[in-house]
Amino acid sequence: MTTKPVIPNPRSQNITQGKSRAPNRSMYYAMGYQEEDFNKPMVGVANGHSTITPCNSGLQKLADAAIASIETGGGKAQVFGTPTISDGMAMGTEGMKYSLVSREVISDCIETCVQGQWLDGVIVIGGCDKNMPGGMMGMLRANVPAIFVYGGTILPGRYKGKDLNIVSVFEAVGENAAGRLSDEDLLEIERRAVPGSGSCGGMYTANTMSSAFEALGLSLPYSSTMANPHEEKVDSARESARVLLEAIKNDLKPRDIVTRKSIENAVAVIMATGGSTNAVLHFLAIAHAAGVDWTIDDFERVRVKTPVLCDLKPSGQYLAVDLHRAGGIPQVMKMLLGAGLLHGDCITISGQTIAEVLKDVPAVPRADQDVIRPLSNPMYKQGHLAILKGNLSPEGCVAKITGLKKPVMTGPARVFDDEQSALAAILANKIVAGDVMVLRYLGPKGGPGMPEMLAPTGALVGQGLGESVGLITDGRFSGGTWGMVVGHVAPEAAAGGTIAFIHEGDSITIDAHQLLLQLNVSDEEIAKRRAAWTAPAPRYTRGVQAKFAFNASTASKGAVLDNY
């Protein structure tokens, strides 16, 4: 029996008809195509499966489910791979500088394969942190019907009656250095923190971005907080492929869905869930890929009107699996919609509007849980990702202010030009309450690649200094970071930003109430130091790091490589 074609597919027909039809079709016959298959849409499956990291080690079963669904639904699956870098594994090493670079590599892979093979649609399957923004940027550049399938969160580890996650290990290192945790307990936490496949379990970067994609309308409802080991994750991948085939039929494309209003929806959910600072950098890049006018100041605009509703790690109590059981992202979105903080008319990949998707979700969270707070009793009345400016960061920087009793401090600068010497100082107990650590030459160009600072911030928290020591950097933070921290300082040190001119002992003010990051030195003195400054030589002169350093925009524009 001949399968009825799902839709006319002019993209794939374009390469299988006309004078070049025979040689083009021959290549497909070699892969098992039959005559009737040339009338079916060719659907890319961008498979991020790898055994590099537990975040991606559980993706093949999702790809298999998606492929089967595409084939039974009348499409032809065209599978290709995308790489990944594990932030958790690379943290604190030179390898961490390849993390943000991998976002660009992933997006390039997807754009190249979809456009080069003239595919009719693509389903992107990813797990680790940069898989999400990289996948979304590639989807938007190619702009064929597309859907994102998140690999799923990890289940918690367990030791001595407490749930564990990857950040538990970094904080345990600081506790051990401070003499508050035995070597044996440190080893057991290390062994038990990551019990299987899935991405880091708190509202860290992977779960932040997956939640934002659900709010954006390019992932299915509830899919962003499912656990990778659970069968519902496989079912969701299968359903995602079915929905994508319908989107191909209706020619519903990512740039039809990703608009200024839908990005505002995504950012509202990031604020309401207490998401990662990395979301600021990545959504600037996503907006750029979509051709949407969205600036760093828009995050502050959304922050001041959006409460933090969820009690989630790193600064709260619960993990993504707990959020899922409590009602997931649809519950959070329904509350924001009811409060007038969400645009209900935004379209989703299913063809439904946000309001239609949320129609049957309760207006208030269940009383038998406390992961999602009611609007009348939020964790915080305003969002947690504050955009600070001042003479230290005239372009803006990002402060994560949840969990802090007093997000204001002035203290002496402790200056480090690399992460390793800063961590060594913390572990040697050379950093004391009231200090403001400055970690610089770690921006998009200076790092290069803008590495994350989870090792130093985790060590500070472990030593009990999370709220009493400030840390500013032109690098990034892990989604697992919390404390008196300010990242993405722009312009960066390597580009001659003021952060390059800080001297040991200078007074620095961090004030989240006044949205201020200030070097308390006269303009005349700063000008004198600027005149005497010489830009450092590039750390890399060949390969992807050199290309990234040469092309990367400032962090305040997403550190993208094509901001021409």
Side-chain angles (χ1 to χ4, degrees):
M1 184 175 104
T2 302
T3 303
K4 182 181 179 181
V6 175
I7 58 164
N9 52 337
R11 284 174 62 90
S12 53
Q13 284 179 3
N14 186 63
I15 63 166
T16 58
Q17 294 182 356
K19 291 182 179 179
S20 61
R21 169 175 174 162
N24 281 345
R25 285 164 63 105
S26 294
M27 302 290 281
Y28 289 96
Y29 282 129
M31 297 187 294
Y33 267 57
Q34 303 299 313
E35 184 68 22
E36 62 269 20
D37 292 333
F38 292 104
N39 290 320
K40 301 173 183 177
M42 295 179 186
V43 184
V45 179
N47 184 6
H49 172 80
S50 76
T51 57
I52 288 175
T53 168
C55 306
N56 290 51
S57 65
L59 299 189
Q60 189 59 49
K61 62 185 180 183
L62 308 185
D64 291 342
I67 292 164
S69 184
I70 290 167
E71 297 283 340
T72 59
K76 290 298 293 181
Q78 300 288 318
V79 185
F80 60 92
T82 60
T84 194
I85 296 296
S86 169
D87 291 21
M89 291 174 172
M91 199 71 68
T93 73
E94 193 71 5
M96 185 65 223
K97 295 178 181 179
Y98 286 83
S99 169
L100 188 60
V101 173
S102 76
R103 183 188 76 179
E104 304 305 312
V105 175
I106 291 164
S107 57
D108 288 351
C109 283
I110 292 167
E111 178 190 3
T112 300
C113 283
V114 171
Q115 298 291 62
Q117 292 302 119
W118 211 242
L119 300 175
D120 297 298
V122 63
I123 183 168
V124 179
I125 305 171
C128 203
D129 292 9
K130 305 310 168 295
N131 296 185
M132 262 70 73
M136 185 61 65
M137 291 159 65
M139 288 159 57
L140 286 161
R141 289 185 202 163
N143 200 35
V144 300
I147 193 168
F148 195 95
V149 173
Y150 177 44
T153 188
I154 203 168
L155 296 172
R158 194 81 175 164
Y159 181 59
K160 290 190 173 179
K162 292 183 178 180
D163 282 347
L164 299 175
N165 62 87
I166 187 62
V167 177
S168 307
V169 182
F170 287 92
E171 294 181 357
V173 169
E175 291 183 77
N176 178 258
R180 296 160 52 189
L181 187 76
S182 71
D183 291 347
E184 179 184 359
D185 283 339
L186 175 59
L187 179 59
E188 289 302 318
I189 290 171
E190 182 182 44
R191 285 174 172 166
R192 298 166 187 258
V194 182
S197 59
S199 299
C200 299
M203 193 47 69
Y204 310 144
T205 303
N207 287 326
T208 297
M209 296 306 295
S210 70
S211 300
F213 288 1
E214 185 176 323
L216 197 62
L218 278 164
S219 289
L220 294 188
Y222 298 100
S223 65
S224 64
T225 51
M226 292 174 179
N228 178 265
H230 292 165
E231 190 61 26
E232 66 176 350
K233 190 75 251 186
V234 177
D235 294 339
S236 180
R238 188 177 296 114
E239 176 64 9
S240 295
R242 188 198 67 77
V243 169
L244 176 59
L245 288 173
E246 285 297 311
I248 294 172
K249 180 179 179 180
N250 296 316
D251 196 30
L252 180 58
K253 298 184 290 291
R255 288 188 216 164
D256 301 326
I257 295 168
V258 179
T259 64
R260 182 172 171 83
K261 287 166 66 174
S262 69
I263 290 177
E264 186 164 321
N265 284 351
V267 172
V269 166
I270 290 163
M271 296 296 178
T273 56
S276 167
T277 54
N278 283 312
V280 175
L281 190 79
H282 296 328
F283 264 93
L284 287 166
I286 288 166
H288 175 73
V292 172
D293 180 19
W294 185 270
T295 72
I296 195 168
D297 295 321
D298 286 310
F299 291 92
E300 183 61 28
R301 177 177 58 80
V302 177
R303 182 191 75 84
V304 296
K305 64 181 182 179
T306 309
V308 179
L309 298 174
C310 299
D311 187 4
L312 297 168
K313 290 182 179 296
S315 59
Q317 300 183 63
Y318 295 106
L319 299 171
V321 289
D322 302 308
L323 174 60
H324 190 61
R325 285 190 289 264
I329 294 303
Q331 180 64 81
V332 177
M333 292 178 68
K334 185 59 175 280
M335 295 164 64
L336 294 175
L337 182 65
L341 298 173
L342 219 60
H343 299 287
D345 58 340
C346 289
I347 199 75
T348 71
I349 189 61
S350 69
Q352 295 177 293
T353 65
I354 289 290
E356 289 169 341
V357 168
L358 301 175
K359 177 172 62 73
D360 296 326
V361 177
V364 296
R366 297 197 320 267
D368 65 346
Q369 60 80 45
D370 58 356
V371 182
I372 306 172
R373 297 280 195 91
L375 282 161
S376 59
N377 184 32
M379 293 289 294
Y380 306 94
K381 292 182 179 179
Q382 293 183 324
H384 63 299
L385 300 179
I387 305 302
L388 312 188
K389 292 188 177 182
N391 67 358
L392 258 178
S393 190
E395 292 180 10
C397 56
V398 187
K400 193 173 188 178
I401 58 177
T402 44
L404 298 175
K405 297 181 180 69
K406 187 181 179 185
V408 177
M409 73 176 298
T410 295
R414 305 296 308 278
V415 182
F416 302 91
D417 289 348
D418 61 81
E419 178 188 3
Q420 289 70 30
S421 59
L423 179 61
I426 295 168
L427 297 179
N429 300 312
K430 294 180 179 179
I431 303 299
V432 300
D435 285 345
V436 178
M437 299 185 72
V438 179
L439 279 65
R440 64 189 181 188
Y441 294 105
L442 295 165
K445 294 181 179 295
M450 211 175 176
E452 295 179 348
M453 304 291 109
L454 180 57
T457 59
L460 286 172
V461 171
Q463 290 195 353
L465 297 172
E467 294 196 54
S468 58
V469 168
L471 191 153
I472 70 170
T473 180
D474 50 8
R476 296 184 294 128
F477 294 117
S478 163
T481 293
W482 74 276
M484 194 67 176
V485 297
V486 181
H488 311 193
V489 171
E492 62 176 291
T498 308
I499 190 172
F501 313 135
I502 301 172
H503 289 181
E504 184 81 9
D506 281 348
S507 172
I508 294 174
T509 295
I510 304 170
D511 190 334
H513 293 322
Q514 296 189 60
L515 303 178
L516 179 68
L517 183 66
Q518 188 79 9
L519 174 63
N520 298 313
V521 172
S522 70
D523 292 344
E524 292 77 13
E525 176 62 20
I526 292 173
K528 179 180 176 182
R529 294 179 187 182
R530 179 176 283 110
W533 177 78
T534 301
R539 297 179 191 266
Y540 290 85
T541 56
R542 292 290 185 275
V544 296
Q545 288 284 8
K547 288 188 284 187
F548 189 94
F550 183 81
N551 289 291
S553 75
T554 179
S556 66
K557 294 188 177 179
V560 296
L561 303 189
D562 59 349
N563 186 40
Y564 304 125

